[in-house]
Amino acid sequence: MPWRALITAVLCALWLAGPGLVLAQSGGNEHRVALIVGNASYKQSPLRNPVNDARAMRDKLKRMGFQVVYFENLQVRQVGSALREFRNAIRPGSVALFFYAGHGLQVRGENYLPTVDAELASEEDVPYQALSLSAVLNTMEDSKAAVNLVLLDACRNNPFARNFRSQAQGLARVQAPSGTLIHYATRPGSVAEDGGGQHGTYTDALLKQIDEQGVPIETSLKRVTIRVREVTKGKQEPWMEGSLTGDFYFAGQPSAPLLAPAVPVHSASDEAAWLASESIGTAAAYQAYLAEYPQGLYAAAARIKLAGLSAPAGGGVTPALVSPLPAATDSSGVLDPVPAGTRDADGFTWRDVQARGGSEHYEAYLQRFPRGRYAAAARTALRRLAAASGTSTIAVAPTPTLGAEPQAWEAALQGHSLTAYQAYLQAYPKGRYAGQAQAAIVALRQAAAEPAPVVVALAPRPQPQPQQQQQQQRQLPSAEREALRTAALRELSLARLTGADFTMGAEADEQGEDGQPDTTAQPTRTVRVANFEMAYYELKVGQFRKFVDATDYLTEAEGAAKPGCHVPTRGGRWELRADANWRDPGYGANHKQTDGHPVVCVSWNDVQAYLQWLNGNPSANAGSATSGTTERYRLPSEAEWEFAARGGTTTPRPWNEAPGFFGRIWGVARLGSKPERPVSRSCGYANVADDALRTLLDWPDTLNCADSYPYAVPGGYFSDNNFDLYDMIGNAAEWVQDCWNPNHQTAPRDARARHSGDCTRRVVRGGSWASPTASIRSAARTNQPHAYRASDLGFRLVRSAQP
């Protein structure tokens, strides 16, 4: 049966099933109730923004169809009334939302939202003079609401802390009931700022995000997290707990029908024309494709290709067909480049813009897509931002101003002199590169003052001695070197994992890359893991850069006898490219690496050198078989890594791979789907080898799904696991400490790393954006020589739990 006929038949069946069948909580059709509380006028430590936040949320939610129960500066005598009114408004099957802005505190692991007239002389007073978060959750659950949402901008400093025995800051983690989603303004146990504008930082991001049409709540809150993290430069990161059993949209329906394909209609002639234009690879060839198939399956990819090519001799690129990406926009980093192979470049860019939310981002969108689907919305957003800032107008037409500063900075880097950097600062005293320019001036002046000359190696770099990584120390003052190390330590953020017994290894029916049972991960065995701490994210480029800046360390990709890093090429092949290293891992011009990406192209030896520096011992032997095991920060053992990756699950992957009824129907209808290539749910949880990589590099072994990212992404783009850790599966594969052994037969039962076996090779875990599909499992393991480096291989830090 043709897939269009199949979809029609399914839709007819759903219609005949009657109104009792609910597919999703779509925007605006369900009964919606919200309790909103804004507390600012405290007797101790009053706040500026919570009432503004509460009023703005009240007005916005009313426009979205919510029945609002509203309290401003809640007092002790009003707590019971607030809960009673909220309970009475909720019907079985309602969407129930609680928004709170104000002070929050925890007592013995319970969260309380103090009233403005609270007089808390001790912890015992808190339950009687505050709104209990547990009471709110119980009210929602007892009322049988279908969707429960809790949004807490309640992580300011506790003004009553001096009266309490406990010094815990912020709010405690809550075990969210089924069907409940809790979003904190910052991590549990951390504090957030009240904000310097009209609204708190978190609420301001919420107000800008939640009315985006057709975006599920989880994605909407994820974009709020990205926005807050960027505005606060990483100092504040919102946090999510719990999950919903259905879909909920604040505004609008999903951007595509539930069972309809979200891509243009495919045809054999369309694909043939695209393959022909790809094989030629010129601007004229892509123009010819677009002229024939302006709405074709590969139209967005053709426009992306054209954006990176010069116009053909004797003719220009037709404006009606192409919305070119200005070169200045790429270099500025205002927007991420669109991944090659993305079928909806317009939508991809708009989602990026919405997540960032600054006027410069909306302007950049309009430069790329002046006639785009979201152009009107972008102009509306610019007018709103102009009004909020008191500016009468904001230019939205393409203007050279957007790229002027990046061009000036590039000129300063090329000149690399006091005069060049000072010229940049004179033109942009508060520019985005001002800090780097000032640091460069300081470094140049210090270098000039040193008694010994400083040689900048622009020619071939010195080669390492056998069995030892050669390092060339600059004459950087020791105080500056130590300041870089201190900054690197301060940037580390680790989750505390409570140890337990767990079953390590693959079950008998788990298949490896050869399609046979994965004997390398057998036998299963019970392992006891002690408490330890693990980084929320894979180590980032910006963090590794501090190490290099402090020590002038040359990675093995830069200084080895055979330099370079392994990068993927078409057809699933890998090649050692001499010019690829941690600074530029070979993703290409359309997929530039940022400081937020996981650092890759580092060998196991490089990792040991980094650990020794981080732990204050930069002169130790980087290649020692036991180095890094006794220091404060280290690589995880295999057992620790697998315990963290599983997050308490026992299935091959931390997520459920089996699709439901509608997933199976869509799998039949999805283009390219075959019984031997079932549709995968992995792209919703991890950055894996998918359709984006298959389209870009003709990658042979990919999962049948699309996450739009062919290469690595910055940490946090995909969901975290049950232990709050990101990218344990996918994104970059990760070195661990263990020597390679062909199975788990002799593995310690106390989770220690193995220092016996083949110690010329080290274990790699987690799979990556390019790994075979069989590697996307918690138990999967592979190995590489300790000097190996690849553009999909990085690492993550751990340390033993502090007493």
Side-chain angles (χ1 to χ4, degrees), residues 325-395:
L325 171 61
T329 302
D330 258 352
S331 62
S332 72
V334 172
L335 294 179
D336 289 336
V338 179
T342 301
R343 292 167 177 164
D344 184 9
D346 188 346
F348 176 90
T349 306
W350 180 248
R351 288 190 293 274
D352 185 29
V353 168
Q354 287 281 285
R356 297 165 184 261
S359 59
E360 68 274 24
H361 304 121
Y362 290 107
E363 290 168 359
Y365 170 83
L366 288 170
Q367 283 197 320
R368 292 192 190 184
F369 303 98
R371 300 180 183 86
R373 295 199 306 276
Y374 308 98
R379 293 187 176 92
T380 300
L382 282 168
R383 285 192 291 271
R384 184 184 69 243
L385 291 170
S389 63
T391 306
S392 58
T393 59
I394 285 185

Side-chain angles (χ1 to χ4, degrees), residues 455 471-474 547-554 583:
V455 178
Q471 300 182 35
Q472 184 116 9
Q473 295 286 342
R474 292 173 296 169
F547 161 56
V548 174
D549 288 346
T551 63
D552 204 28
Y553 179 82
L554 286 175
R583 302 174 192 272

